[in-house]
């Protein structure tokens, strides 16, 4: 490849996708690459939903994390995408680039992790590819799900006035990551052993919210899973739907462990609102459907909390508190470049 002056001027991950790949994705099921899943028509009553996520050692997991956990996380982040689209997982393809020091023990544990989640989620491996990586472990999974024709929930259908909801609790995985990494000194954090273990588990092993799939199909105007941080991912949903949003920070649900960290240092709120890896569902629901949505969520045993609403596009994404004060919380979701 010839290096030109232009090569020096790098662009961000999403500009790169918009400039080079979106023009290749003209099919309406590709949604202009504004969604993280695509739709393929396969029959009169059924659509397939396809999604691909790649995990790299040192970026999405630590190379010495348990192999079974790495495998399950790689699978689950894809199942999480399917859940947020309203789809039921069917099968997956696996590509593996193994570093030079791979061992059979490691692979056995990796495969056992996949087997465990296959049984849990009722899916099977269809195929894939294996190669030697010149630089660390990479795992790429393409997951396929199915849903009734025309029922896929995209990021594009949100309307001003729709209510915004998230499942579960926000910020656990980001703090779990900090307790694992070498960068933050977490010894002084006011957390019990159980709270630390909880946060670590939230980072290591996300829970795809598959129980939400039918509810999203029935009620949501737009949805996505939160992989790169609540505020940044909300901005993506807003961009795709051409709406703005207002979020009340006091309504964002957090676990007791994360609340304890806010009391220790209020700065952790910014980390919790922008930290990735929670894999909760963010969705918008038209006002006249919120009661039924909330009732159905309760029946499904899912915590779905209202955190704000969608507004006019021109107003962008703003964060307020319960007093109505606008907060200047920096929003930044994870980008690879
Ligand atoms: P998110 O982080 O929001 O889940 P991604 O970064 O995975 O989104 O991708 C954004 C969109 O760009 C998706 O529609 C995805 O399929 C598409 N995309 C990303 N990389 C490529 C690529 N190399 N070729 C084709 N499409 C891509
Ligand atoms: Mg993705």
């Amino acid at each position: 490849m010839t290096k030109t002056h232009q090569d020096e001027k790098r662009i961000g991950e999403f500009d790169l996708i918009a400039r080079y790949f979106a023009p290749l994705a003209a099919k309406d099921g590709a949604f202009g690459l504004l969604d993280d899943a695509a739709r393929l028509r396969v029959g009169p009553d059924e659509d397939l939903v396809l999604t691909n996520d790649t995990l790299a050692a040192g970026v999405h997991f630590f190379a010495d994390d348990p192999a079974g956990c790495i495998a399950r996380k790689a699978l689950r982040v894809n199942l999480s995408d399917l859940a947020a689209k309203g789809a039921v997982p069917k099968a997956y393809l696996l590509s593996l680039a193994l570093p030079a020091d791979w061992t059979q023990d490691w692979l056995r544990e990796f495969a056992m992790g996949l087997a465990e989640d296959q049984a849990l989620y009722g899916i099977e491996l269809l195929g894939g590819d294996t190669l030697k990586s010149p630089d660390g472990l990479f795992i790429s999974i393409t997951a396929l799900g199915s849903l009734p024709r025309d029922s896929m929930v995209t990021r594009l259908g949100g309307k001003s006035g729709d209510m915004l909801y998230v499942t579960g609790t926000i910020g656990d995985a980001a703090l779990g990551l900090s307790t694992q990494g070498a960068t933050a000194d977490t010894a002084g954090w006011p957390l019990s052993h159980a709270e630390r273990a909880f946060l670590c588990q939230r980072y290591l092993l996300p829970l795809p919210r598959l129980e939400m799939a039918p509810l999203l199909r029935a009620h949501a105007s737009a949805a996505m899973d939160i992989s790169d941080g609540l505020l940044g991912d909300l901005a993506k949903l807003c961009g795709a739907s051409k709406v703005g949003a207002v979020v009340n920070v006091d309504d964002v649900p957090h676990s007791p462990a994360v609340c304890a960290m806010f009391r220790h240092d209020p700065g952790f709120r910014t980390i919790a609102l922008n930290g990735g890896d929670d894999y909760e569902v963010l969705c918008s629901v038209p006002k006249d459907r919120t009661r039924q949505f909330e009732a159905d969520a309760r029946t499904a045993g899912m915590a779905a909390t209202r955190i704000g609403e969608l507004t006019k596009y021109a107003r962008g994404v703003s964060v307020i508190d319960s007093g109505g004060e606008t907060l200047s919380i920096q929003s930044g979701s994870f980008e690879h470049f």
Side-chain angles (χ1 to χ4, degrees), residues 62 65-66 175-184 186 199-201 203-204:
F62 295 97
D65 283 344
L175 292 188
L177 170 61
S178 302
T179 63
Q180 295 232 302
T183 45
T186 66
L199 295 177
C200 276
Q201 187 68 6
Y203 168 72
L204 272 180

Side-chain angles (χ1 to χ4, degrees), residues 204-265:
L204 272 180
L205 210 53
L207 279 174
R209 299 300 189 185
L210 290 157
E211 305 91 325
M212 289 299 290
L215 281 76
L216 296 171
R217 291 203 306 271
H219 306 299
S221 53
M224 65 186 293
D225 67 337
I226 306 170
S227 54
D228 294 336
L230 171 62
L231 294 183
D233 282 346
L234 172 59
K236 287 182 204 168
L237 186 146
C238 285
S241 289
K242 300 220 174 332
V243 291
V246 54
V247 170
N248 182 341
V249 276
D250 295 322
D251 289 340
V252 176
H254 299 291
S255 64
V258 168
C259 291
M261 291 307 300
F262 291 170
R263 289 192 294 274
H264 175 66
D265 177 351

